[in-house]
Amino acid sequence: MQIDALISELGHCCLEEEFCLTCKKEKCLIGFCKKSLMTVLKQKDEFITDGLRDIPYSDTKVYDIDSVVNAIGFLLNQCRNCNVYHDEECIINIIRSSLEIILLGEVQEYKGSMLLYLGDIKNVNPEVADQVFQSVQQRK
């Protein structure tokens, strides 16, 4: 996983203090993602026990949607299509889930396959699914 590139992708999603007035840190979805990345770096592991539980679901801030789509596209290219070995506590799953709240209003189930995921997203919001697919393709 390319941690530095992921941190950069997340940085583009945040509209910073000009919109928020003050940074809410891990109480915002992007701040939570950054904190989670720091946790896995410190632990030298790719998993956070109960990481999904701590997602700030009530965050209603405005984000740069195109950047969020691109961050999910980046994450999907990082994912190893783990299939039956998918782990909900994987940092990629935690961050993707956080970004889904911004785009779709709720966490989506990831079944270990990018193609299944994109199909499921298409059932929820075809336009977002198409945008994510385009982002994935541009990054291959």
Side-chain angles (χ1 to χ4, degrees):
M1 178 173 42
Q2 301 172 354
I3 297 281
D4 291 340
L6 182 51
I7 290 170
S8 176
E9 290 289 333
L10 291 172
H12 296 299
C13 300
C14 181
L15 296 177
E16 299 181 351
E17 293 180 16
E18 69 183 71
F19 284 90
C20 299
L21 303 178
T22 182
C23 183
K24 303 281 190 221
K25 305 226 185 272
E26 65 271 358
K27 292 183 181 176
C28 97
L29 289 161
I30 299 302
F32 170 79
C33 291
K34 290 177 179 178
K35 178 183 177 252
S36 296
L37 278 171
M38 295 309 295
T39 298
V40 297
L41 282 172
K42 288 178 185 173
Q43 294 176 350
K44 297 181 182 174
D45 195 358
E46 292 184 5
F47 302 93
I48 299 176
T49 304
D50 296 325
L52 290 175
R53 181 193 67 210
D54 296 329
I55 293 174
Y57 292 94
S58 60
D59 179 17
T60 58
K61 287 176 37 186
V62 175
Y63 295 95
D64 184 289
I65 297 302
D66 290 337
S67 295
V68 173
V69 166
N70 287 330
I72 289 179
F74 176 84
L75 285 169
L76 291 174
N77 277 314
Q78 297 294 303
C79 188
R80 295 182 290 273
N81 281 322
C82 47
N83 296 310
V84 295
Y85 300 105
H86 170 68
D87 190 321
E88 293 289 311
E89 296 178 344
C90 169
I91 187 62
I92 292 174
N93 187 66
I94 293 167
I95 292 174
R96 193 197 66 258
S97 296
S98 299
L99 297 175
E100 291 166 350
I101 293 170
I102 296 169
L103 285 181
L104 302 164
E106 62 185 355
V107 171
Q108 305 300 304
E109 181 180 6
Y110 188 82
K111 299 171 184 165
S113 163
M114 180 183 0
L115 292 177
L116 287 174
Y117 173 75
L118 289 170
D120 290 344
I121 295 297
K122 195 165 199 87
N123 292 331
V124 175
N125 187 323
E127 183 180 329
V128 168
D130 290 342
Q131 291 171 339
V132 171
F133 178 74
Q134 291 300 319
S135 178
V136 169
Q137 294 296 7
Q138 290 172 356
R139 295 170 175 278
K140 281 191 171 185

